[in-house]
Amino acid sequence: MARWDPGAEERLKRAAIELYLERGYDNVTVTHIAERAGLTRRSYFRYFPDKREVLFAGSERLPPALAEAVLTADPNATPLAAALDALARVGAQLVEHVDGAAERRAVIDASPELQERERTKTAAITEAIRDALKQRQVNAGTAELVAQLATVAFQNAFRLWIETTGHASFGSCLHTVTDELRAALAGM
Amino acid sequence: MARWDPGAEERLKRAAIELYLERGYDNVTVTHIAERAGLTRRSYFRYFPDKREVLFAGSERLPPALAEAVLTADPNATPLAAALDALARVGAQLVEHVDGAAERRAVIDASPELQERERTKTAAITEAIRDALKQRQVNAGTAELVAQLATVAFQNAFRLWIETTGHASFGSCLHTVTDELRAALAGM
DNA sequence: CCAGTGATGACACAGTGTGTCGTGAGTACA
DNA sequence: TGTACTCACGACACACTGTGTCATCACTGG
């Protein structure tokens, strides 16, 4: 089953995080990453399509997971309630399987180019929630806005969870954020 | 005052839009754009920092304009009302000075890379509104969420205005969107 | 023992983005 | 009129990204 040194993709991910932290994204080349992982530059591009994606591997599973969760939420729930319930369930799973979240956060926060890519991933989440809400017969305009709101809540809750270094449950972080959200919208 | 052919930057912007529309973003090189504008590749990079920014020239004026408008809104208005009022005023100015908005929208909608850059510009708008709200003594969490909501409204209103090919006022487009927004949040 | 499979290396190439220097048209001043 | 200065632009070089193509080599199945 295993030929050559197995785990090449994992080694590339570790090497990239380390180098981005040590020297900063702009001062790291794909060749650096590949060499630290014991591979060539060409092999890096067989695992990741560009220099940024190495930090977002696996992120493509989040949108479908959220869509699924929105669809399985209580059929009687309001759109926003359904979305927030989906976030709580998927988020709880997410924080179990994620590691090195703080380092990853630090790397992204230090690089405009990586923040730009992260916004694309965030947009994919919003689209997945929006489309799932539409399948729940929510009208298009409402679905878009609720999906945006839910994504903001998700982002803030995840950042809050990282700041507690994982000592808090994701659910409690999300609850804190939704309380703020309710207060913000009270003045409408 | 004027040496060489004046208006080099304008020629580059026109050439870029034309070529992106004709061949698609991926099939256009910076050399193509520069040559159509009667310049060299090196000169292109003296006007724009990369291949994408040529489509977003002038966008750096929008965030400070919105921040200013938020600060000059009715001091007694709620955060969201202040933000929406700022959007209406700045948006009305914007649609007067913008041209080729439909072509520009078509180009961006056809390219993931350009959409990624557009999200960065959108993020700058959100940050400007958020910071202005903080200066109005709105607390941080509320400011973040209201700024996000306002940005969503702004985006949707501008897209709606383009779809009317400029026949509607920006204010009426924004009004339509905020009505949807209110309906969406009613279910909270 | 041999053919097949698949990950990897080697090499080439188009394109992006940047540093550096030269050039020549226009400007200021005597 | 002449001289020095300014500054947008061209020319050239270079590091790096991203991709196509072919060779290699370990392991697999017969």
Side-chain angles (χ1 to χ4, degrees):
Chain A
M1 182 74 75
R3 313 169 192 180
W4 299 275
D5 280 0
E9 182 169 336
E10 201 55 40
R11 291 202 308 278
L12 285 168
K13 283 158 64 177
R14 294 184 55 85
I17 285 256
E18 287 171 13
L19 286 166
Y20 289 163
L21 274 175
E22 289 170 14
R23 311 188 194 181
Y25 177 83
D26 289 338
N27 299 318
V28 174
T29 70
V30 173
T31 304
H32 292 150
I33 299 171
E35 283 177 351
R36 182 168 293 200
L39 295 169
T40 61
R41 195 178 74 93
R42 190 64 186 86
S43 283
Y44 172 94
F45 287 107
R46 291 196 175 99
Y47 286 95
F48 307 104
D50 62 43
K51 189 183 166 185
R52 295 161 281 292
E53 280 293 311
V54 65
L55 271 178
F56 300 94
S59 69
E60 73 283 352
R61 286 177 304 178
L62 199 47
L66 283 167
E68 168 74 14
V70 167
L71 291 175
T72 58
D74 176 9
N76 297 321
T78 64
L80 192 50
L84 292 177
D85 177 58
L87 259 44
R89 283 182 286 140
V90 174
Q93 289 288 323
L94 179 66
V95 298
E96 295 299 324
H97 299 302
V98 84
D99 70 305
E103 284 85 358
R104 190 171 161 282
R105 184 81 255 129
V107 170
I108 295 173
D109 285 345
S111 162
E113 213 166 322
L114 292 173
Q115 291 161 34
E116 196 164 65
R117 178 58 53 85
E118 187 178 43
R119 284 186 209 104
T120 297
K121 305 303 183 183
T122 303
I125 289 175
T126 303
E127 286 163 22
I129 296 175
R130 185 237 295 146
D131 293 346
L133 286 173
K134 282 190 191 171
Q135 286 190 46
R136 287 174 64 107
Q137 314 302 330
V138 177
N139 85 303
T142 303
E144 175 68 34
L145 291 164
V146 169
Q148 288 270 1
L149 269 181
T151 304
V152 172
F154 191 62
Q155 295 263 95
N156 289 18
F158 193 60
R159 198 179 275 268
L160 187 57
W161 178 80
I162 291 174
E163 285 168 5
T164 69
T165 61
H167 286 53
S169 73
F170 183 80
S172 66
C173 294
L174 186 59
H175 192 74
T176 300
V177 172
T178 50
D179 278 352
E180 286 185 0
L181 193 145
R182 251 177 279 271
L185 266 39
M188 186 154 181
Chain B
M1 185 72 77
R3 314 169 192 180
W4 297 275
D5 280 359
E9 181 169 336
E10 202 55 40
R11 291 202 309 278
L12 285 168
K13 282 157 64 176
R14 294 184 56 85
I17 285 255
E18 288 170 14
L19 285 167
Y20 289 163
L21 274 175
E22 290 170 15
R23 312 189 194 180
Y25 178 82
D26 289 337
N27 300 319
V28 174
T29 69
V30 173
T31 303
H32 291 149
I33 299 171
E35 282 176 353
R36 182 168 292 200
L39 294 169
T40 61
R41 196 177 74 92
R42 190 65 186 87
S43 284
Y44 171 93
F45 287 108
R46 290 197 175 97
Y47 286 95
F48 306 103
D50 61 45
K51 189 183 167 187
R52 296 162 280 294
E53 279 292 312
V54 66
L55 272 177
F56 300 94
S59 69
E60 73 283 354
R61 286 178 305 180
L62 199 47
L66 283 167
E68 169 73 14
V70 167
L71 291 175
T72 58
D74 176 9
N76 298 321
T78 65
L80 192 50
L84 292 176
D85 178 57
L87 259 44
R89 284 181 286 141
V90 173
Q93 289 289 322
L94 180 66
V95 297
E96 293 301 323
H97 299 301
V98 84
D99 69 303
E103 285 85 0
R104 190 171 160 284
R105 183 100 297 288
V107 170
I108 295 173
D109 285 345
S111 161
E113 213 166 322
L114 292 173
Q115 291 162 35
E116 195 163 65
R117 178 56 54 86
E118 188 178 42
R119 284 186 209 105
T120 295
K121 304 304 183 183
T122 303
I125 290 175
T126 303
E127 284 163 23
I129 297 175
R130 185 235 295 145
D131 292 347
L133 287 172
K134 282 189 191 173
Q135 285 190 45
R136 287 174 64 108
Q137 315 301 330
V138 177
N139 83 303
T142 304
E144 176 67 34
L145 290 164
V146 169
Q148 289 270 1
L149 269 180
T151 304
V152 171
F154 190 62
Q155 295 263 96
N156 288 19
F158 192 61
R159 197 179 277 266
L160 186 58
W161 178 82
I162 292 175
E163 284 168 7
T164 69
T165 61
H167 286 53
S169 73
F170 183 79
S172 67
C173 293
L174 185 60
H175 192 75
T176 301
V177 172
T178 48
D179 279 351
E180 287 185 0
L181 195 144
R182 249 177 281 271
L185 268 37
M188 185 152 183

